[in-house]
Amino acid sequence: MDLTLLYRGPLASCDYDCPYCPFAKRRDSRSQLTADRAALERFAAWAAGNTADRLSLLFTPWGEGLVRSWYRRALVELSHLPHVRRVAIQTNLSCRVEWTAEADPDTLALWCTYHPGQTPFDRFLGRCRELAARGIRFSVGVVGLPEHLAEARRLRAELPAEVYLWVNAAEGRTYTDAEAAEWTALDPLFAYSRHPHRSAGLPCRTGESVISVDGDGTVRRCHFVKAELGNLYDGSYRAALRPRGCPLTVCDCHIGYVHLETLPLYDVFAGGVLERIPASGKAEENSSAGQLRFPHLPLVQL
């Protein structure tokens, strides 16, 4: 089967101290890092050996993974496996990117977030340009806070035109139409992030073809539903895979609502669901208010 796995091990340390993140500047002990490495290597070994399925893998660590050698090595090795369709990671891009030269650029992808005030703009932009020069798939995004708007505009102006710039609505923030219009001018898909999506009882691919895995191998339908479906390593999760509705009232995170079958995002992001890259590379705003257009895709009505 085609199986998508979102892996989140015990790593919780980050080299940034973003005020909107609960894991800012958190330090993992040596023993915690050792445990994270063992868990990551166990998961990578499972993925390498599970050749009966076509796998798409997204690493979503609470902390920053690419500053750890075991994440870089796993991404490189998994990218060369014929049954792995995509291997991607969420990252703040604080790590140098020379290591990507060892990976298969047709399989590797990065979901990069720019955090103004945490890293020099030119350093972040330089690494984005290097990724583009190396032919690595990546998207870039920012959190939609007012103090980020000027830097986000600068980033959009300086990034290669084909690189998609996404904007995440800040948690708990309500946007006026005027504020939303400013962010939509940078990311025509911002409307999907602006409001939580009603999800209760609605069909979702999670728990059927998309699953969440933690460091112990516990399988859940997604990161936001705590009910367990079994364990990855003893295969007990397999019997639990089936179509099912969402048990939550709303879904407000992209890595969750992108899998809702009631939204058209599998078409919008066809070929780039995990790394958050639209099928056309860059979304285009239609002249009609509230509509988005992508070359070769039907008109999306928000």
Side-chain angles (χ1 to χ4, degrees), residues 133 207 228 257:
E228 299 179 5
Y257 65 69

Side-chain angles (χ1 to χ4, degrees), residues 90-248:
Q90 295 178 318
T91 175
N92 63 23
L93 211 57
S94 60
C95 175
R96 293 180 180 272
V97 299
E98 289 89 345
W99 63 273
T100 61
E102 302 177 32
D104 184 342
D106 291 331
T107 305
L108 176 68
L110 304 182
W111 167 324
C112 308
T113 304
Y114 174 51
H115 300 282
Q118 300 296 314
T119 185
F121 177 88
D122 289 339
R123 179 186 299 169
F124 184 88
L125 179 63
R127 286 177 180 162
C128 290
R129 287 175 170 170
E130 185 175 350
L131 288 173
R134 293 178 180 274
I136 301 299
R137 291 175 57 84
F138 69 102
S139 67
V140 175
V142 296
V143 177
L145 292 168
E147 59 268 30
H148 291 177
L149 183 57
E151 287 287 88
R153 286 171 171 163
R154 182 184 178 195
L155 187 61
R156 176 64 279 168
E158 297 288 344
L159 281 171
E162 67 275 11
V163 174
Y164 172 55
L165 176 70
W166 49 264
V167 177
N168 270 352
E171 186 173 357
R173 184 175 184 84
T174 300
Y175 294 82
T176 66
D177 289 345
E179 290 171 334
E182 291 182 313
W183 291 111
T184 303
L186 296 174
D187 174 12
L189 294 174
F190 177 68
Y192 285 111
S193 180
R194 181 183 177 186
H195 301 291
H197 295 274
R198 185 179 68 83
S199 59
L202 297 180
C204 182
R205 296 172 180 86
T206 61
E208 180 184 9
S209 60
V210 180
I211 57 175
S212 168
V213 182
D214 69 14
D216 295 323
T218 301
V219 174
R220 298 174 174 84
R221 62 176 303 168
C222 75
H223 287 335
F224 313 106
V225 177
K226 299 304 180 184
E228 299 179 5
L229 301 183
N231 191 276
L232 188 73
Y233 301 122
D234 65 12
S236 57
Y237 75 97
R238 198 78 177 196
L241 300 182
R242 65 176 186 274
R244 61 190 78 204
C246 179
L248 304 181

Side-chain angles (χ1 to χ4, degrees), residues 10-14 25-37 68 70:
L11 183 75
S13 55
C14 187
K25 287 293 184 184
R26 179 169 169 173
R27 302 290 184 184
D28 283 327
S29 67
R30 183 183 296 270
S31 63
Q32 288 171 322
L33 291 175
T34 298
D36 181 71
R37 179 173 182 168
R68 307 298 175 186
W70 49 96

Side-chain angles (χ1 to χ4, degrees), residues 4-20:
T4 295
L5 299 95
L6 279 63
Y7 175 83
R8 178 174 287 164
L11 183 75
S13 55
C14 187
D15 48 347
Y16 286 1
D17 61 352
C18 304
Y20 42 83

